[in-house]
Amino acid sequence: MEFESNGRLLLPRRRFVQGLAAGGLLAGWTAASGGAEAGPRLGTPPVLRGTEFDLVIAEQTIVIDGVASIATTVNGSLPGPTLRLREGDTVTIRVTNRLREPTSIHWHGLLLPYDMDGVPGISFDGIAPGATFTYRFPVRQAGSYWYHSHSGFQEVRGLYGSIVIDPARPASLAEDRDYTVLLSDWSDEDPMRIMAKLKTQSDYYNYQQPTVQDFARDVAREGWKAALDRRRMWNRMRMSPTDLADLSSATLRYLCNGMTPEANWTGLFQRGERVRLRLVNGSGNTFYDVRMPGVPLRVVQVDGQEIEPVTVDEFRFGPGETCDVVVQPTDDAATLFAQTMDRTGFARATLAVREGLTAPVPKPDPVQWLGMADMMGGMGHGMQGMRPMQSMDHAGHALPAADALAVPGSRVRHARTEYGPSTDMRVDQPRTGLDDPGIGLRDNGRRVLTLDDMRTLGGPLDARGPGREIELHLTGNMERYTWSIDGLEYGKSTPVHFAHGERLRVILHNDTMMTHPMHLHGMWSEVETPEGDFQVRRHTVPVQPAQRLSFLVTADAPGRWAWHCHLLMHMEAGMFREALVA
């Protein structure tokens, strides 16, 4: 993308057409598919309130970058309608399927009976073409959440929307304005074709591979030997230091409330007002780094749970996560800037005192390379710390003694199943790093939110300590583009068993070079410190490369639950488990 000297985007003609389409101004579009309806409603989605809802899922054409594609919409809009619920109510939601394939809706982050969770093959059979399924469940919590399809790749084709649950007792201090802002990503390519390309060449969409110029720069800075050693090291690992995301702007466009940066979704405010932004990351692939230049972000809620307010300049935002911030712009317009973690693009929106105003749009930051700490945790000082792939023989996931449960276990226990073709690296000395904002955000001069900054109000929901501890490793093989847990793709795995009513500790240990947003359905994940102290309650826990995190779970929801990485390609490739509570 090109920018003017003041940071404003230059708007090529092709992008201008895109903006018109995204703004709903491109009339006369002809459906490109026999079953599709024309003209989805983009931009601020309608808000539906009450206790009974009717949602219709259908196909419609959408134009991004002048290319016609088929979107999967809810009630004719992308994103789908925002559902405004109230804590304490029981809601009935009838979902009608007008697609030519089965569909589903999962209510992300909501505590409900497992057969209302909306995961085909686990919690129900899915919704057949032409059928209507009725979800009915009590609303047990307040906060900002979202919903999306759990069938195939429908989620990245547009089947998502926000949920706002008002507390049973209204908050004493309410903001002047309240907007839901749903970030997502979009590709005109068929997701199945994207997956096929990644299976053939996992770095197909990585256009930031190290170049000869990069090598010359390293030689000038570090000398020949150091530069050569660095290249040999990455070559021996058959990995790339720029492998930050599977997909890039080579195929993705980045949307805010269904609109491109050029279309510029705008929310209005009056000077002096406090504006609450309920941010949802509904992307299938994209981690965003979100900031509003010149405007502090007061973070008040994460994953629907209120935290001790903390003011930052920026935060990393993974797929599946939600985050509420309160802002008070002092100028007539302010840009909400969400650059992708791989720095190949961004989503953008504006808060303004009247329509048509804009503020400067920053350029994306330079891409940063992964370091050894991202690859090998505490061993990141050199290759001598990395063991050969076949030299280790562990006893598997043996449980620690009961008196060892006061703090999370630190002894690394690789399962025997990790020693197979689905795993290309293992980390033996991981880091915890709750205060690490992650690659690209370290030492950037801005105050960046980390897990260490988040403290859920009210503390843990369950005062009990863990009765046992389980350890799961996030694994993959980039050459084969396989993703798994403990070296087993979902189809080869067996369920993880939770005893109904027990309090247990889960350790997630990332043996890969990518960050995985891990979502456990139906129950909270209460992240703890390395000392075993409660930190923050999450429904989606981001686990950085070579990181080892732990959280406590109260298994109070009997039934079958999905547990997976919320990067859609990773989930489809196998990083998915069933959790059985009985």
Side-chain angles (χ1 to χ4, degrees):
M1 292 185 176
E2 298 181 8
F3 301 82
E4 296 177 347
S5 59
N6 62 2
R8 295 178 191 277
L9 273 172
L10 290 172
L11 201 61
R13 175 176 173 75
R14 186 166 179 248
R15 296 282 179 152
F16 179 67
V17 172
Q18 172 195 8
L20 292 178
L25 302 177
L26 188 62
W29 177 252
T30 302
S33 172
E37 302 173 4
R41 181 172 49 246
L42 304 174
T44 302
V47 179
L48 305 180
R49 300 173 184 268
T51 58
E52 297 211 10
F53 304 89
D54 289 284
L55 304 181
V56 178
I57 299 173
E59 288 184 342
Q60 291 183 277
T61 53
I62 188 172
V63 179
I64 300 287
D65 274 353
V67 177
S69 298
I70 303 300
T72 306
T73 59
V74 184
N75 288 10
S77 72
L78 190 161
T82 297
L83 304 184
R84 194 100 190 192
L85 315 180
R86 180 169 293 280
E87 183 184 19
D89 287 346
T90 294
V91 297
T92 301
I93 308 174
R94 292 174 287 272
V95 179
T96 298
N97 181 8
R98 290 185 180 167
L99 305 177
R100 291 160 291 188
E101 61 184 15
T103 189
S104 60
I105 289 185
H106 161 61
W107 316 100
H108 188 109
L110 268 59
L111 305 176
L112 35 62
Y114 90 94
D115 55 354
M116 295 288 111
D117 194 44
V119 180
I122 290 187
S123 57
F124 77 146
D125 293 333
I127 308 172
T132 297
F133 183 85
T134 300
Y135 296 86
R136 184 177 293 110
F137 52 85
V139 181
R140 299 170 49 192
Q141 60 209 98
S144 303
Y145 303 91
W146 68 298
Y147 62 88
H148 60 85
S149 172
H150 231 290
S151 299
F153 291 110
Q154 293 172 4
E155 178 188 326
V156 292
R157 306 307 288 176
L159 208 172
Y160 44 70
S162 302
I163 300 172
V164 178
I165 306 177
D166 295 313
R169 294 182 177 179
S172 56
L173 292 176
E175 289 73 33
D176 302 298
R177 305 264 179 172
D178 190 322
Y179 289 113
T180 60
V181 179
L182 200 154
L183 302 175
S184 62
D185 50 21
W186 175 268
S187 176
D188 290 318
E189 288 191 87
D190 184 332
M192 290 296 290
R193 182 171 175 78
I194 291 175
M195 176 65 93
K197 287 180 178 178
L198 292 173
K199 280 287 188 182
T200 303
Q201 183 183 341
S202 63
D203 60 355
Y204 184 91
Y205 296 99
N206 182 358
Y207 288 14
Q208 299 185 128
Q209 300 280 6
T211 63
V212 173
Q213 287 77 16
D214 292 325
F215 179 70
R217 179 205 60 198
D218 290 349
V219 170
R221 189 170 55 192
E222 306 168 4
W224 274 97
K225 185 176 185 308
L228 279 173
D229 287 347
R230 194 178 183 192
R231 291 297 187 280
R232 289 195 188 102
M233 177 183 65
W234 286 105
N235 289 337
R236 281 202 297 271
M237 293 189 293
R238 300 191 299 276
M239 296 173 182
S240 167
T242 61
D243 203 357
L244 301 173
D246 297 330
L247 308 181
S248 68
S249 63
T251 188
L252 292 179
R253 297 297 172 262
Y254 305 105
L255 308 181
C256 178
N257 281 343
M259 301 176 74
T260 61
E262 295 76 19
N264 187 27
W265 178 85
T266 299
L268 298 180
F269 74 102
Q270 294 182 359
R271 273 181 174 267
E273 285 186 332
R274 291 164 17 106
V275 182
R276 187 185 189 109
L277 301 176
R278 300 177 183 270
L279 291 138
V280 175
N281 189 346
S283 301
N285 180 81
T286 304
F287 278 85
Y288 287 104
D289 293 334
V290 181
R291 70 182 196 267
M292 185 172 281
V295 180
L297 307 176
R298 183 173 169 84
V299 182
V300 296
Q301 193 180 102
V302 175
D303 285 359
Q305 301 295 288
E306 293 187 355
I307 66 170
E308 295 178 13
V310 55
T311 299
V312 299
D313 299 314
E314 188 170 20
F315 64 92
R316 176 152 289 171
F317 201 30
E321 300 179 44
T322 66
C323 183
D324 283 20
V325 301
V326 177
V327 298
Q328 196 168 13
T330 55
D331 295 329
D332 286 350
T335 295
L336 181 69
F337 183 70
Q339 60 180 335
T340 64
M341 185 165 64
D342 68 350
R343 306 297 187 243
T344 64
F346 59 85
R348 168 221 184 182
T350 298
L351 290 182
V353 296
R354 62 179 181 274
E355 291 284 358
L357 290 182
T358 60
V361 179
K363 293 181 179 179
D365 293 334
V367 64
Q368 290 185 11
W369 288 12
L370 291 161
M372 284 299 95
D374 297 303
M375 300 296 299
M376 291 178 285
M379 283 185 172
H381 54 279
M383 280 297 292
Q384 67 275 16
M386 190 173 186
R387 298 190 189 186
M389 290 294 295
Q390 305 300 327
S391 65
M392 301 169 70
D393 183 17
H394 296 266
H397 288 210
L399 298 178
D403 58 1
L405 294 177
V407 298
S410 58
R411 175 174 171 259
V412 176
R413 301 181 291 269
H414 293 291
R416 292 187 181 278
T417 48
E418 279 191 69
Y419 297 83
S422 294
T423 302
D424 62 3
M425 64 177 281
R426 290 182 294 273
V427 175
D428 291 332
Q429 292 185 8
R431 61 202 174 91
T432 302
L434 295 182
D435 59 350
D436 183 0
I439 183 71
L441 294 179
R442 298 164 186 150
D443 303 318
N444 66 1
R446 301 187 287 266
R447 171 81 163 88
V448 184
L449 184 73
T450 67
L451 281 172
D452 194 47
D453 296 317
M454 304 176 191
R455 290 178 174 78
T456 303
L457 295 179
L461 294 172
D462 191 336
R464 294 178 295 167
R468 67 184 177 111
E469 182 175 286
I470 65 173
E471 180 174 328
L472 297 173
H473 286 227
L474 311 179
T475 48
N477 184 322
M478 292 300 288
E479 288 290 315
R480 296 168 176 257
Y481 198 74
T482 62
W483 297 99
S484 54
I485 295 176
D486 282 356
L488 295 174
E489 293 86 357
Y490 174 59
K492 301 174 184 175
S493 69
T494 56
V496 178
H497 288 262
F498 295 173
H500 183 213
E502 75 167 331
R503 182 81 162 160
L504 75 156
R505 171 181 289 131
V506 174
I507 294 175
L508 292 181
H509 177 117
N510 191 348
D511 283 319
T512 79
M513 61 191 300
M514 286 191 163
T515 301
H516 301 285
M518 296 301 297
H519 175 41
L520 171 63
H521 290 217
M523 291 159 281
W524 290 113
S525 302
E526 298 195 320
V527 178
E528 60 183 351
T529 68
E531 293 75 34
D533 297 323
F534 171 77
Q535 183 75 30
V536 61
R537 188 176 310 127
R538 304 294 305 266
H539 54 56
T540 305
V541 179
V543 189
Q544 297 178 11
Q547 193 175 36
R548 182 179 172 94
L549 296 181
S550 64
F551 55 84
L552 300 189
V553 177
T554 296
D556 57 357
R560 302 173 62 192
W561 301 98
W563 194 0
H564 59 88
C565 176
H566 227 279
L567 295 170
L568 194 57
M569 295 292 168
H570 291 191
M571 181 179 75
E572 290 294 323
M575 191 173 278
F576 188 111
R577 279 288 174 93
E578 177 184 338
L580 176 61
V581 180

